[in-house]
Amino acid sequence: MKKIPFFLILLLALNAGAQSNSEADSLNIRKLYDVALLQGQGYAWLDHLSNKIGGRLSGSVNAQRAVDYTKAELEKLGLDRVWLQPVMVPKWTRGNPEYAYIQSPGSPSNTVNILALGGSVATPDTGLRAKVIEVQGIEDLARYGKEQIEGKIVFYNRPMRTDLIHTFEAYGGCVDQRYSGAAEAAKYGAVGVIVRSLSHKIDDYPHTGSMSYGDLPNSKRIPAAAISTKDAEYLSSMLKLNKDLDFYYKMNCRNFEDVESYNVIGEIKGSERPDEYIVVGGHLDSWDVGDGAHDDGAGVVQSMEVLRLFKEAGVRPKRTIRVVLFMNEENGLRGGNKYAEVAKQNAENHIFALESDSGGFTPRGFSFDARDSQFEKIESWKPLFEPYLIHYFARGGSGADIGPLRNESTVLAGLRPDSQRYFDHHHAATDTFESVNKRELELGAATMASLVYLVDKYGFDDIKNDPEILK
Ligand SMILES: [Zn+2]
């Protein structure tokens, strides 16, 4: 008999090993998708969070109800441990609904739709009435200078770009108007700001969101509101006809002292490496308008579902897998910071964290904050995702809440669903349960579980000593 060279035997053996590994992986991933699609639980959880609880702004009664509800639901899953992690959060309330109108000289007033930005001060009790100066961004302020801005309301009207495929990039190109617009305009003597809503859709729904006065003293803080895209276009067209029109608005929002709230955490202990942690999460708080179904009810229930899928599919993780429902992403990120702080205190070795906070739409893939070598390893798993139409594996960006876990070895990732409709709903009254599709939500959960399964099984040990810098 002809001798088979040793290297060939080795090659065949290695190949067979790789094949059986990948077959086992395919089967396990199929199982995770099957459980998600045939016996999904996420949509029912989302129904409760959205319709029985509703908007969950930090420090509100609803935020506490969401903490109690998700803790109780995690306890039903038979996890090894479920607990609350205390964290102090800001408390801001909208108060009675805002009211605003445009008054052109000699014409009747026209009401417009606005929402106070989160963290804004109120207008005076009798409201605020002033002339308006329209700008296309913060950089315009210097051009107009104090002479033209003082005593006026600055109207930021730069729209989101429509030519960008990734809508988060379009959002990123405008969000400075909302976040810092008031602080910057106040430096030029503006008395208030109105910001075009961050949405591609032209409709009547204003989109709120966080803003900051930076280190401006209380006496210099001016009220800031978002105006619907339709009314932003209307205001702009009215200003073209007559720059002398008046804008009036009244807002009743209020800032309170910080209050205690919680991150909700559950875990399955690892069978082989219990001291290595994998986190999957979303944020439990939401804005107060709408019911926060996409932002981030979807991410919350998908993350809970990941642990349930492991249990139901009978996949026992080697490492400890934690679901973390972060509190206060929207107006403070206190929950994300607290979780990372406690993890550091306890010297917990987090090898991977995955966040879902981009809506409950059809999953396309993931983005990663990882080293080249870590990313290459992840990319080698791509074929396993192909049957589920998951193809997008890109560098850069993960999730706000897991950001504080960043260090030189932890891989961070974000689920990337289709983003074309996300900003139709983001931070607006239209972010409701009806706008979430059950199958899309379930596919997202199964996709997340599949990635967690692969990271748990293979880890990044072999590239631990890679000297290159985290990108
Ligand atoms: Zn969010």
Side-chain angles (χ1 to χ4, degrees):
M1 199 178 91
K2 217 177 157 191
K3 256 188 153 179
I4 303 168
F6 176 70
F7 78 90
L8 203 61
I9 297 175
L10 193 68
L11 202 69
L12 285 170
L14 280 174
N15 199 31
Q19 230 168 34
S20 64
N21 244 343
S22 118
E23 266 166 34
D25 292 342
S26 283
L27 287 172
N28 279 326
I29 286 172
R30 183 67 245 185
K31 245 193 273 176
L32 293 168
Y33 274 89
D34 281 347
V35 179
L37 293 168
L38 294 168
Q39 311 146 34
Q41 176 66 38
Y43 194 66
W45 282 328
L46 187 65
D47 187 6
H48 189 104
L49 268 183
S50 307
N51 295 322
K52 296 273 182 345
I53 295 176
R56 306 170 289 282
L57 191 56
S58 291
S60 67
V61 172
N62 275 2
Q64 184 56 43
R65 291 170 69 206
V67 166
D68 296 340
Y69 172 68
T70 49
K71 178 171 181 272
E73 289 301 307
L74 286 176
E75 277 165 350
K76 289 182 195 165
L77 300 184
L79 306 179
D80 295 309
R81 195 179 158 216
V82 175
W83 73 103
L84 299 183
Q85 182 174 67
V87 55
M88 297 302 289
V89 298
K91 180 178 166 80
W92 175 88
T93 59
R94 184 171 303 284
N96 288 328
E98 301 81 348
Y99 175 65
Y101 63 78
I102 297 167
Q103 176 89 65
S104 284
S107 308
S109 62
N110 281 293
T111 57
V112 288
N113 295 294
I114 66 159
L115 273 180
L117 295 182
S120 174
V121 295
T123 57
D125 283 348
T126 51
L128 175 67
R129 186 182 176 119
K131 305 285 180 217
V132 177
I133 179 163
E134 177 178 342
V135 299
Q136 290 296 301
I138 288 168
E139 47 297 343
D140 274 357
L141 299 175
R143 199 151 62 79
Y144 291 111
K146 218 168 178 172
E147 319 77 69
Q148 293 187 65
I149 294 172
E150 193 152 40
K152 290 190 185 138
I153 293 167
V154 169
F155 167 38
Y156 290 99
N157 193 30
R158 182 163 81 250
M160 275 168 65
R161 280 176 59 177
T162 52
D163 57 332
L164 296 171
I165 305 304
H166 296 280
T167 61
F168 281 83
E169 279 179 38
Y171 177 74
C174 286
V175 71
D176 62 331
Q177 300 177 109
R178 189 195 76 206
Y179 191 74
S180 311
E184 294 303 318
K187 292 177 190 163
Y188 291 86
V191 293
V193 299
I194 298 292
V195 185
R196 181 191 179 97
S197 285
L198 296 177
S199 171
H200 286 115
K201 199 171 184 182
I202 303 300
D203 65 15
D204 287 321
Y205 297 97
H207 296 234
T208 188
S210 63
M211 56 86 65
S212 166
Y213 292 109
D215 48 16
L216 269 191
N218 280 338
S219 59
K220 291 263 161 68
R221 298 183 173 197
I222 58 174
I227 186 168
S228 76
T229 48
K230 198 167 164 187
D231 287 334
E233 306 236 313
Y234 175 64
L235 174 58
S236 182
S237 68
M238 293 296 280
L239 284 166
K240 282 189 184 77
L241 293 174
N242 190 342
K243 284 207 173 347
D244 258 349
L245 61 77
D246 280 339
F247 192 93
Y248 170 90
Y249 64 133
K250 170 139 169 60
M251 309 202 299
N252 310 290
C253 37
R254 210 174 140 189
N255 280 295
F256 293 82
E257 294 288 308
D258 289 356
V259 296
E260 190 174 59
S261 186
Y262 306 92
N263 291 328
V264 181
I265 308 176
E267 71 179 24
I268 302 174
K269 269 258 169 280
S271 58
E272 291 173 28
R273 299 175 175 212
D275 296 335
E276 290 185 19
Y277 295 89
I278 291 175
V279 160
V280 55
H283 64 86
L284 198 47
D285 64 308
S286 77
W287 283 104
D288 54 334
V289 290
D291 56 40
H294 277 294
D295 188 12
D296 185 25
V300 162
V301 302
Q302 286 173 327
S303 300
M304 293 166 68
E305 184 76 339
V306 168
L307 273 70
R308 198 189 69 89
L309 296 180
F310 268 75
K311 288 246 152 260
E312 291 294 317
V315 180
R316 183 85 215 264
K318 294 201 284 190
R319 297 166 163 92
T320 295
I321 300 187
R322 266 189 195 160
V323 53
V324 184
L325 311 179
F326 297 94
M327 185 50 72
N328 185 229
E329 188 272 346
E330 295 293 2
N331 56 338
L333 207 66
R334 302 277 186 87
N337 285 324
K338 175 59 78 177
Y339 181 80
E341 181 192 314
V342 173
K344 200 168 176 189
Q345 269 167 20
N346 297 339
E348 289 169 350
N349 176 18
H350 283 71
I351 70 153
F352 181 62
L354 167 62
E355 179 154 5
S356 167
D357 184 19
S358 304
F361 300 99
T362 305
R364 304 287 194 209
F366 304 94
S367 60
F368 297 89
D369 288 323
R371 298 170 187 228
D372 286 340
S373 46
Q374 292 166 331
F375 183 64
E376 272 164 31
K377 183 162 190 179
I378 292 163
E379 271 201 310
S380 73
W381 303 329
K382 262 177 96 169
L384 289 162
F385 287 91
E386 265 163 28
Y388 309 98
L389 311 181
I390 302 300
H391 64 277
Y392 181 78
F393 288 69
R395 305 292 293 276
S398 51
D401 296 289
I402 58 173
L405 284 172
R406 177 188 280 260
N407 60 32
E408 64 282 356
S409 61
T410 309
V411 174
L412 305 179
L415 179 71
R416 290 289 158 246
D418 188 282
S419 70
Q420 305 314 319
R421 286 171 286 145
Y422 184 57
F423 291 98
D424 294 355
H425 306 280
H426 185 247
H427 300 178
T430 51
D431 184 359
T432 57
F433 180 69
E434 296 73 38
S435 62
V436 177
N437 175 283
K438 182 171 183 286
R439 287 184 63 78
E440 292 179 355
L441 183 78
E442 290 166 349
L443 287 168
T447 303
M448 291 166 72
S450 302
L451 181 63
V452 169
Y453 161 78
L454 291 165
V455 171
D456 172 60
K457 182 163 171 186
Y458 298 109
F460 301 107
D461 277 4
D462 46 337
I463 46 183
K464 208 192 243 162
N465 299 316
D466 184 335
E468 38 127 351
I469 313 150
L470 182 74
K471 282 184 193 163

